[in-house]
Structures are given as C-alpha cells and as structure tokens.
Amino acid sequence: TQLLEQSPQFLSIQEGENLTVYCNSSSVFSSLQWYRQEPGEGPVLLVTVVTGGEVKKLKRLTFQFGDARKDSSLHITAAQPGDTGLYLCAPQGGSNYKLTFGKGTLLTVNP
Amino acid sequence: DTAVSQTPKYLVTQMGNDKSIKCEQNLGHDTMYWYKQDSKKFLKIMFSYNNKELIINETVPNRFSPKSPDKAHLNLHINSLELGDSAVYFCASSRDRSTNYGYTFGSGTRLTVV
C-alpha cells in the first residue's frame, strides 16, 4: 500500500502571493493527476503529468512531476480569491481501475 | 447542460431510514463511481460500474447497495442509515475503466443523518 502525503494540509494567504503545495509518496507512479475542488462542488481535473521531470503550465498554475516519479508539486503565482479550494493529487500506478486521492491541501486566498 | 448530475443535492434524514441517491451522466462514458467524502475532506472510493457491471466494491457496509440500470445511470441505496453515514457522496464517470483520462465528478449529495 502506497503512503501518499499532501502538504501543507491548510494554507491561508493574501491575494497576490505565490505558493507551492506538494504531493509525496513512498511509491513510484506511472502518472499523476491534480484536481481542484471548489466549495460545494465536485473535484475538477486540472492536469495529468506523465513523464519524470515534466513541467506543465495552466495559466498561473505550474505543475511538476518529480524525476523519480514519486512526488509532484503545484505552484501558483499571484494567487487570486478564485484559486480558493481543495487541491487533490491522485497518483496512478498499481491498480489502474480506481483513483486514490490524497487528503488534499485546503487553500484560502483572501482578498 | 450538466455532465454528471446527482439528486438530491441535500438529504436530511433520521437514523434507521432508507434513502437513495441518483446519478446520471450524459458524457457517453462507460464507467461510473461512487465516492464518499468525510468531514475531513478525505475522498474515498466505494463502488465502480463499467457498462452496468460491478468492478470495484471497496470495504463498504452491505447496507449500501449500488445499482446501474444502464451505463448512463448509477444509483446508491442506503438501508438503516446511521449517524456515521453523514458525509458528502460524489458520483463520477470516466471514459473507460482506466484512470488515464481522469474523472468527471457531480456536485455531490450532502447526506445528514440525525
């Protein structure tokens, strides 16, 4: 059973600040997905990273997959209140028939 | 037009009652899921159906019974509700039984057992 950790668990920042959240595991992943869940809604897929060392950008969000494919990070530049939500990582490996989610990072961006 | 829709959005009921949650997807996906999100926001899979066939059945009390009449619908019936069943239940769908394309989630059903 892989151990999956997301950090920090909670993060509260002011609008305009930069931040990074992390997803770490003891296992190697074939790929990893990041989701954002806004209050009162279901998670929404942001990105899938597949190759070790891969970097993907989505506007102000930068996703990186670790070289060893055991960890990933999400960096947000100039955070906005609309970025508020629960950020979940979901690695793929082992059973390819279900997504197992981390416990998430709850981000609050204050105006 | 909502891709994955769940009803009801909110459900408040007494202990011991039986209730159902319905889910429909109009994406043409083959696979559907039920997830439970607890008060600490931990999202855990319960069941998965692929083309009406049950393919994942996690360790869930047998008071929970999913039913998929066709590949666009997945319902969840819960018997003898307990306080600990209070949570947000999410339905999701995916193109096929792999996780490669990611999941599309509904907006959740908040179940409160009193």
Side-chain angles (χ1 to χ4, degrees):
Chain A
T1 304
Q2 66 188 20
L3 186 64
L4 185 64
E5 280 192 26
Q6 287 193 246
S7 61
Q9 191 177 353
F10 300 98
L11 186 56
S12 181
I13 61 171
Q14 293 300 119
E15 183 175 0
E17 292 183 10
N18 301 333
L19 67 113
T20 303
V21 299
Y22 302 91
C23 176
N24 297 296
S25 174
S26 54
S27 304
V28 176
F29 310 137
S30 56
S31 60
L32 184 142
Q33 296 174 1
W34 282 95
Y35 288 76
R36 177 171 63 211
Q37 183 180 9
E38 296 181 9
E41 297 296 328
V44 174
L45 178 64
L46 296 174
V47 77
T48 303
V49 286
V50 179
T51 307
E54 181 178 7
V55 175
K56 280 191 173 178
K57 293 197 174 187
L58 188 67
K59 298 182 181 177
R60 294 175 293 99
L61 277 60
T62 302
F63 303 84
Q64 184 156 10
F65 202 13
D67 291 340
R69 305 204 320 275
K70 296 171 75 171
D71 56 84
S72 181
S73 64
L74 159 58
H75 182 81
I76 302 179
T77 304
Q80 299 178 1
D83 297 326
T84 292
L86 180 69
Y87 288 81
L88 297 160
C89 67
Q92 296 166 267
S95 166
N96 202 32
Y97 294 158
K98 64 179 180 182
L99 278 182
T100 301
F101 290 88
K103 293 189 176 180
T105 293
L106 188 59
L107 171 66
T108 303
V109 182
N110 302 299
Chain B
D1 200 16
T2 306
V4 179
S5 57
Q6 297 179 227
T7 53
K9 176 80 173 173
Y10 300 97
L11 186 52
V12 181
T13 188
Q14 290 188 325
M15 280 176 56
N17 284 350
D18 304 338
K19 289 293 179 186
S20 292
I21 307 171
K22 297 188 175 185
C23 179
E24 176 181 2
Q25 55 97 1
N26 63 6
L27 298 167
H29 287 173
D30 285 345
T31 312
M32 296 184 73
Y33 311 83
W34 280 112
Y35 275 80
K36 178 181 180 180
Q37 189 171 47
D38 62 23
S39 58
K40 295 186 178 180
K41 305 291 188 186
F42 184 46
L43 199 59
K44 189 173 180 185
I45 190 166
M46 300 172 69
F47 302 103
S48 174
Y49 273 77
N50 183 68
N51 268 321
K52 302 192 296 178
E53 177 194 356
L54 180 67
I55 58 171
I56 294 174
N57 185 350
E58 294 290 291
T59 309
V60 177
N62 57 16
R63 297 181 294 103
F64 291 78
S65 51
K67 279 198 173 64
S68 182
D70 55 62
K71 75 173 194 176
H73 295 84
L74 179 61
N75 304 321
L76 183 64
H77 187 76
I78 316 170
N79 289 325
S80 303
L81 278 154
E82 301 178 356
L83 293 176
D85 298 331
S86 295
V88 182
Y89 292 84
F90 285 98
C91 176
S93 72
S94 61
R95 189 183 299 192
D96 55 33
R97 62 193 300 171
S98 80
T99 60
N100 295 339
Y101 302 102
Y103 293 179
T104 302
F105 283 84
S107 57
T109 296
R110 181 174 293 277
L111 171 65
T112 304
V113 183
V114 297

